[in-house]
């Protein structure tokens, strides 16, 4: 009974076979079919190869969210070089609520304002990338991918010892500010607290030392992410006028900067002012990768699609050729009578009847 049940089960499974096997003696191979098979396998290999690179590639996903944390502080990352000595300049932040933010996170480092040849080459490359980013915004995805891989974008250190004296000050570090509009400024004299705001000790600095030519190597908002290029990165302004004000206006809603230069005669003390405004929206950027199961499904679709398409095209072309040959009596569709006439004319010699044969036949009848 068990053997009978097994046989019935096997027979039932065989009847469900969706891939019946055809004996090789019933299969006819042709040169056209072999050619189509070679082309199909080549196309499968090429598309599968390119699909593997698509699987390895990643893309960036942007999600907009409302920032519900109003009590937290916003970090400002700064790296600016000013063409004045460090003891003559001071940097701080004053927000919309007239609150002076402590600048303990900033460091003042004496440097040479002129860049070395390698640094100048890096700076020109950075400006070229910034110009392309203003025209082609899709390049930002490439920069984000480089960030994930840890590509460095900071100013490289000097490769030579400076010959000129240390005539500039590099102000770098970070500040934590309230999430309200404000301005970060670098001006003459160190900042001191004041009951009605703050003040700078500009009276102790000689007017001959004023020089607010500057270079912004990095200025960003939020946690510092190495590799990200911000709109003002690489900006350099050199001025011969000592009474000069540079104003950089930043709107976080549209991520654009506007710079205004004007003399300090009717606008107050000379310096560098960066005004910013905060938006209630934040952007979440994540790097996504194609899952393995989706890659396998796409690979099966490529192989099966090419196999089915080439089979249908081969059958269609063969059918069209058969119709044309049948219509014009070509190839195997030539009439048999024509074939026989051709063989008679070419293979059989012409026979001439003998008149003596008929004479002998008549005498035999008599």
């Amino acid at each position: 009974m068990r053997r009978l049940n097994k046989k019935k089960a096997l027979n039932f499974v065989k009847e469900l076979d969706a891939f019946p096997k055809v004996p090789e003696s019933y299969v006819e191979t042709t040169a056209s079919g072999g050619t189509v098979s070679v082309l199909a396998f080549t196309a499968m290999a090429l598309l599968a190869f390119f699909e593997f690179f698509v699987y390895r590639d990643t893309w960036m996903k942007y999600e907009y969210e409302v920032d519900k944390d109003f009590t937290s502080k916003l970090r400002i990352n700064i790296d600016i070089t000013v063409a004045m000595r460090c003891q003559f300049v001071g940097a701080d932040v004053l927000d919309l609520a007239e609150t002076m933010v402590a600048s303990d996170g900033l460091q003042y480092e004496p440097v040479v304002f002129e860049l070395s040849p390698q640094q100048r080459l890096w700076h020109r490359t950075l400006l070229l990338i910034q110009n392309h980013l203003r025209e082609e915004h899709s390049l930002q995805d490439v920069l984000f991918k480089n960030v994930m891989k840890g590509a460095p974008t900071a100013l490289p250190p000097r490769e030579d010892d400076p010959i000129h004296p240390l005539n500039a000050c590099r102000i770098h570090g970070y500040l934590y500010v309230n999430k309200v509009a404000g301005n970060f400024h670098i001006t003459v004299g160190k900042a001191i607290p004041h009951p009605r705001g703050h003040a700078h000790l500009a009276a102790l600095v000689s007017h001959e030392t004023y020089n607010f030519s500057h270079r912004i190597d990095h200025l960003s908002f939020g946690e510092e992410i190495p590799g990200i290029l911000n709109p003002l990165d690489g900006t350099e302004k050199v001025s011969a006028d000592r009474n000069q004000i540079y104003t950089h206006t930043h709107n976080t809603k549209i991520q654009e900067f506007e710079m205004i230069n004007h003399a300090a005669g009717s606008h107050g003390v000379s310096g560098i002012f960066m005004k910013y405004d905060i938006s209630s929206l934040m952007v979440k950027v994540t790097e996504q990768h194609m899952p393995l199961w989706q890659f396998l499904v796409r690979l099966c679709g490529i192989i099966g699609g090419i196999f089915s398409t080439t089979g249908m095209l081969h059958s269609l072309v063969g059918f069209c050729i058969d119709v044309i040959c049948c219509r014009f009596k070509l190839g195997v569709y030539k009439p048999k009578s024509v074939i026989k006439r051709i063989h008679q004319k070419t293979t059989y010699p012409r026979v001439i009847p003998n008149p003596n044969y008929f004479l002998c036949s008549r005498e035999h009848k008599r």
Side-chain angles (χ1 to χ4, degrees), residues 154-320:
L155 180 68
R158 297 186 69 94
E159 70 278 5
D160 56 352
D161 295 331
I163 302 176
H164 302 283
L166 304 179
N167 57 354
C169 182
R170 179 191 175 199
I171 304 174
H172 59 95
Y174 59 89
L175 294 170
Y176 285 98
V177 299
N178 299 320
K179 292 184 178 180
V180 294
N183 73 84
F184 166 76
H185 52 269
I186 301 174
T187 185
V188 181
K190 300 297 181 180
I192 57 174
H194 192 271
R196 297 184 179 180
H198 75 293
H200 288 263
L201 298 176
L204 303 178
V205 181
S206 173
H207 187 268
E208 299 297 328
T209 61
Y210 286 18
N211 187 0
F212 283 98
S213 301
H214 62 281
R215 180 177 58 254
I216 302 176
D217 296 324
H218 181 76
L219 179 64
S220 63
F221 293 81
E223 295 299 325
E224 186 174 5
I225 304 178
I228 293 294
L229 291 184
N230 298 276
L232 280 182
D233 292 354
T235 301
E236 184 179 27
K237 294 297 176 182
V238 179
S239 175
D241 187 4
R242 300 183 185 276
N243 297 326
Q244 191 75 18
I245 296 178
Y246 295 93
T247 304
H248 303 274
T249 303
H250 176 223
N251 189 342
T252 57
K253 298 178 182 179
I254 55 178
Q255 286 296 324
E256 291 183 355
F257 282 85
E258 179 185 3
M259 189 185 69
I260 304 173
N261 303 340
H262 47 74
S266 60
H267 295 84
V269 67
S270 302
I272 306 168
F273 296 85
M274 301 180 185
K275 299 179 181 180
Y276 60 89
D277 192 6
I278 307 298
S279 173
S280 59
L281 296 177
M282 61 180 181
V283 183
K284 182 179 179 181
V285 183
T286 56
E287 185 181 17
Q288 291 190 340
H289 186 273
M290 182 186 298
L292 180 61
W293 66 267
Q294 187 175 356
F295 168 69
L296 296 177
V297 170
R298 291 168 63 96
L299 200 62
C300 293
I302 289 173
I303 296 174
I306 293 178
F307 186 80
S308 302
T309 303
T310 52
M312 289 187 294
L313 290 176
H314 180 252
S315 300
L316 180 62
V317 172
F319 174 75
C320 294

Side-chain angles (χ1 to χ4, degrees), residues 96-152:
L96 191 62
E98 298 294 333
T99 303
M100 180 178 176
V101 179
S103 57
D104 298 335
L106 295 180
Q107 300 178 11
Y108 296 80
E109 178 184 352
V111 294
V112 178
F113 187 76
E114 293 295 331
L115 298 175
S116 65
Q118 184 177 358
Q119 290 178 332
R120 179 59 62 183
L121 178 61
W122 178 91
H123 185 261
R124 291 176 181 175
T125 305
L126 179 60
L127 292 179
L128 182 62
I129 296 174
Q130 290 283 30
N131 292 332
H132 285 299
L133 282 175
R134 294 185 182 97
E135 298 174 359
E136 300 290 341
H137 298 284
S138 60
L139 292 177
Q140 191 66 43
D141 291 345
V142 180
L143 297 177
F144 275 125
K145 293 179 183 178
N146 292 332
V147 170
M148 303 301 178
K149 298 177 182 178

